[in-house]
């Protein structure tokens, strides 16, 4: 295995909800900001077609690459409230991404925030080949500075285990609702800035992440 340099990383965490709404007069969120609570990350489980809600972590590494991790529950496609998780690694010389649909083989708790999708992953050590993703709260509360989660995920070519500690409280522009015609996207930025540490397993290499 290679021993690459350490990377600095900037983190952002968003939760999105697509809901029916009245026709919009203009695109864009309302002004100001409002407090985000833990209960707002509970699954709403709407029955409408084209409904989806999810949580996404986006990290930019110092070498110019980035990591994306996501979990989603939606009514898109066949069936209702289908689970899916997503892992992606994007660099100048490599692009790895996988989205695994796991139907109803998932668990999503909001207080504290804990999510599991797909296969059960080992508590320590990880390598590509498994098919699953877990997110667990290890300290603090949703929306507060100090909220810390550990995320583990694996697909056929990519695996990761990263710990994220929020440095600032959550942020929501206005009431978080952004209209798109007769539909609405609702967004919360749970971790506008975070400390991140852990490892990525990419194409036979182990990358240490600190920043």
């Amino acid at each position: 295995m290679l021993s690459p340099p350490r990377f600095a990383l900037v983190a952002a965490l968003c939760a999105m909800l697509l809901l029916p709404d009245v026709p919009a007069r203009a695109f864009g969120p309302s002004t100001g900001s409002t407090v985000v609570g833990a209960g707002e990350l509970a699954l709403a489980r709407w029955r409408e077609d084209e409904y989806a809600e999810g949580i996404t972590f986006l990290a930019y590494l110092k070498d110019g690459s980035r990591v994306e991790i996501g979990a989603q529950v939606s009514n898109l496609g066949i069936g209702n409230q289908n689970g899916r998780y997503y892992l992606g690694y994007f660099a100048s010389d490599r692009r790895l991404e996988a989205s695994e649909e796991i139907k109803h083989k998932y668990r999503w708790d909001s207080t504290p925030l804990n999510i599991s999708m797909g296969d059960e992953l080992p508590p320590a050590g990880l390598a590509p080949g498994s098919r699953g993703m877990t997110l667990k709260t290890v300290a603090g509360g949703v929306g507060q500075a100090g909220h810390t989660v550990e995320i583990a995920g694996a697909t056929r070519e990519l695996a990761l285990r990263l710990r994220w500690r929020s440095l600032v409280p959550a942020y929501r522009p206005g009431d978080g609702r952004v209209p798109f015609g007769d539909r609405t996207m609702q967004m919360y930025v749970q971790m506008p800035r975070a400390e991140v540490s852990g490892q990525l397993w990419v194409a036979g290499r182990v990358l240490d992440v600190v920043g």
Side-chain angles (χ1 to χ4, degrees):
M1 297 293 185
L2 300 179
S3 179
R6 292 144 71 94
F7 295 106
L9 197 122
V10 177
L13 166 61
C14 304
M16 289 172 285
L17 187 62
L18 193 62
L19 305 174
D21 200 0
V22 297
R25 295 182 179 178
F27 169 80
S30 57
T31 58
S33 63
T34 48
V35 176
V36 179
E40 292 171 285
L41 284 186
L43 289 177
R45 301 186 185 279
W46 289 75
R47 307 296 297 181
E48 284 80 0
D49 292 339
E50 301 181 0
Y51 151 80
E53 56 185 319
I55 193 165
T56 300
F57 286 79
L58 175 62
Y60 291 94
L61 280 63
K62 192 175 181 180
D63 67 347
S65 60
R66 77 178 189 272
V67 177
E68 296 180 10
I69 311 164
Q72 183 188 72
V73 175
S74 78
N75 295 342
L76 304 175
I78 299 174
N80 292 325
Q81 298 174 21
N82 298 315
R84 177 185 295 272
Y85 74 96
Y86 167 83
L87 301 179
Y89 173 76
F90 305 91
S92 59
D93 62 342
R94 186 174 298 275
R95 178 187 180 100
L96 296 175
E97 55 183 328
S99 180
E100 300 282 359
E101 185 171 359
I102 44 81
K103 291 294 184 181
H104 301 292
K105 191 180 177 182
Y106 67 85
R107 179 176 177 178
W108 187 306
D109 300 324
S110 61
T111 309
L113 182 63
N114 289 296
I115 300 170
S116 63
M117 292 201 165
D119 297 339
E120 183 176 351
L121 299 176
L126 202 61
S130 299
R131 295 174 59 187
M133 174 237 178
T134 61
L135 181 155
K136 64 179 182 178
T137 292
V138 296
V142 169
Q144 303 173 8
H147 182 218
T148 305
V149 299
E150 182 177 278
I151 304 176
T155 63
R156 293 179 180 85
E157 296 182 284
L158 172 65
L160 56 87
R161 188 181 298 278
L162 298 174
R163 180 167 291 203
W164 310 61
R165 178 179 178 272
S166 181
L167 299 177
V168 296
Y171 169 76
R172 171 170 52 191
D175 62 3
R177 297 169 68 87
V178 181
F180 293 87
D182 62 348
R183 309 295 289 181
T184 296
M185 182 183 77
Q186 190 159 342
M187 181 182 71
Y188 318 122
V189 184
Q190 290 291 324
M191 293 185 180
R193 186 170 179 81
E195 293 177 342
V196 185
S197 61
Q199 290 184 317
L200 304 174
W201 288 262
V202 180
R205 298 187 300 161
V206 179
L207 308 180
D208 293 314
V209 178
V210 178

